[in-house]
Amino acid sequence: MNQTAIFWPILAHVLLIYIVYGVMGRRRYFAVKSGEAKVGQYKVRSTEPSSSVTVANNLINQFELPVLFYVLCLALHLTNGVNYLTLALMWIFVASRYFHAWVHLTSNNLLLRSRSFFVGAVILLVAWIWFALHLLGAV
């Protein structure tokens, strides 16, 4: 299998980050334009209106658990550990991040958000276990 295929899920997650940045910029712009917020409110998150603070929080989420995803993708590439299973796991993880962001930025349904986070976290854990087994030569 082409080891560079592991970079496609990374690029897909990078795209998600830029989408969330776009949503945040748009919401902040319209909050100021509508009078809901003043520009100075964005200096401290605690004074940011709820319409955009949710997006800012989601952006933070994209740099928490996904750090483990990025490290794992690079480690798989460096050790020739990319195969159909690891690639599928990485794509499922990215799909869970897209779903999590969509829920967070729309309904913000905590049950759906937490379930999508859990799915992504478990998928990533399975992938890390597979990586450990790969390093041990067991798979």
Side-chain angles (χ1 to χ4, degrees):
M1 165 164 247
N2 184 348
Q3 295 298 299
T4 61
I6 199 68
F7 294 112
W8 289 109
I10 291 174
L11 289 170
H13 188 258
V14 168
L15 175 61
L16 174 62
I17 291 168
Y18 278 99
I19 290 168
V20 174
Y21 269 120
V23 170
M24 184 172 64
R26 183 174 168 85
R27 287 198 186 170
R28 285 179 171 176
Y29 171 80
F30 284 112
V32 170
K33 188 174 179 179
S34 72
E36 178 188 5
K38 296 192 182 323
V39 174
Q41 286 180 261
Y42 296 107
K43 288 182 181 179
V44 181
R45 179 160 296 137
S46 63
T47 62
E48 186 169 349
S50 62
S51 62
S52 58
V53 77
T54 302
V55 186
N57 289 339
N58 185 264
L59 194 56
I60 291 168
N61 291 165
Q62 300 308 330
F63 292 98
E64 293 172 344
L65 186 62
V67 168
L68 296 175
F69 160 73
Y70 289 122
V71 171
L72 181 56
C73 286
L74 292 172
L76 287 166
H77 176 73
L78 289 172
T79 63
N80 292 321
V82 178
N83 61 29
Y84 291 111
L85 174 64
T86 57
L87 194 57
L89 291 172
M90 297 303 96
W91 276 115
I92 294 168
F93 174 77
V94 170
S96 77
R97 299 309 301 161
Y98 269 83
F99 184 74
H100 179 271
W102 178 75
V103 170
H104 202 174
L105 302 180
T106 57
S107 69
N108 203 10
N109 180 308
L110 189 57
L111 181 62
L112 279 177
R113 243 179 65 209
S114 61
R115 284 184 178 169
S116 64
F117 175 85
F118 181 76
V119 166
V122 168
I123 291 295
L124 204 53
L125 175 62
V126 168
W128 274 103
I129 291 169
W130 185 94
F131 178 65
L133 293 172
H134 165 68
L135 290 179
L136 292 170
V139 289

